[in-house]
Amino acid sequence: MTRFARIAYTDSVRSVQERNGSAHAMLRQLDGPDEPDPLGPVEQQFIAERDSFYLATVSETGWPYIQHRGGPPGFLHVLDEHTLAFADVGGNRQFITTGNLRHNDKVALFLMDYAYRARLKLFGRARWQDADEAPALAGRLARPRTDGRLERLVTITVEGLSWNCHQHITPRFSRAELDEVLQPIRDEITRLREADRTRAPEDAV
């Protein structure tokens, strides 16, 4: 995560690391060329399986803003090893994220897998455009995408990535994940009930 560390470890951050004894360990993460971190197969698969993520932007007055984005797994598309994109649909009409991006294209993403206690952090630069300006991209992002009226397309050029440790992530499971685990149990209950109904009378004595 060379590029991620170079972005995150500012002079103020490095001074705190020095004070708390972690500067030497963190220094190893700054080695190597200052190039964008690529999305490898593991990252791409992880992103494709997510049904939500958190997107942070910054206003022109310096205030951070975090918004949740959700949809079917794969609605956040991996276009290549350095580019993500998703189809933005109508919401509460506040347009805070969209407005922030007009001033500052820097974004941060948190992608969470609560069931397996994993999270991927990304730094990037985002741009948005009306869907009718890029019909080919709109068609690609439309399958799958979040339900709702398609308003704009958001493309994110990834600058850095970091896998966070699993500590303090409380396991949570979606309905689909629970259904997958519980279905064999449901099937077994159904089988036992059917067997009970079809037992011969003498078997019940």
Side-chain angles (χ1 to χ4, degrees), residues 7-201:
I7 294 172
Y9 298 170
T10 62
D11 290 342
S12 295
V13 172
R14 290 290 292 161
S15 67
V16 176
Q17 292 173 351
E18 288 278 0
R19 184 183 307 170
N20 289 274
S22 64
H24 181 71
M26 297 300 107
L27 185 62
R28 294 195 298 268
Q29 299 175 6
L30 297 172
D31 291 340
D34 187 13
E35 299 176 352
D37 298 327
L39 298 167
V42 174
E43 288 81 21
Q44 294 188 32
Q45 181 66 29
F46 184 82
I47 294 169
E49 293 173 350
R50 304 278 64 79
D51 60 5
S52 69
F53 66 93
Y54 301 94
L55 175 65
T57 57
V58 181
S59 72
E60 62 264 42
T61 55
W63 286 99
Y65 179 74
I66 299 175
Q67 191 166 50
H68 175 266
R69 285 286 192 269
F75 83 102
L76 179 60
H77 296 252
V78 180
L79 302 186
D80 57 49
E81 65 178 3
H82 293 291
T83 314
L84 304 175
F86 64 95
D88 200 19
V89 301
N92 58 17
R93 317 308 292 170
Q94 292 181 343
F95 300 112
I96 298 175
T97 296
T98 304
N100 286 348
L101 290 178
R102 296 186 66 178
H103 165 76
N104 189 334
D105 66 351
K106 294 177 181 177
V107 296
L109 283 73
F110 254 55
L111 293 94
M112 304 292 300
D113 184 337
Y114 290 101
Y116 289 95
R117 303 176 68 202
R119 60 186 161 196
L120 176 63
K121 300 185 297 188
L122 301 171
F123 282 136
R125 294 182 178 271
R127 68 181 184 92
W128 62 268
Q129 58 190 141
D130 292 333
D132 56 8
E133 295 177 359
L137 179 59
R140 180 173 179 178
L141 300 184
R143 297 179 300 273
R145 69 173 178 86
T146 307
D147 292 337
R149 183 170 63 86
L150 177 57
E151 292 189 341
R152 64 194 63 82
L153 311 174
V154 180
T155 305
I156 300 169
T157 302
V158 177
E159 293 282 345
L161 65 87
S162 174
W163 287 97
N164 230 163
C165 70
H166 66 273
Q167 189 177 15
H168 305 309
I169 299 178
T170 301
R172 293 185 174 91
F173 302 88
S174 67
R175 177 179 295 180
E177 289 166 338
L178 289 174
D179 283 343
E180 182 179 356
V181 173
L182 294 175
Q183 191 57 50
I185 299 174
R186 292 171 179 146
D187 292 342
E188 179 64 11
I189 291 173
T190 300
R191 186 190 68 80
L192 292 173
R193 286 174 176 170
E194 289 295 329
D196 186 63
R197 282 196 293 267
T198 58
R199 280 192 306 172

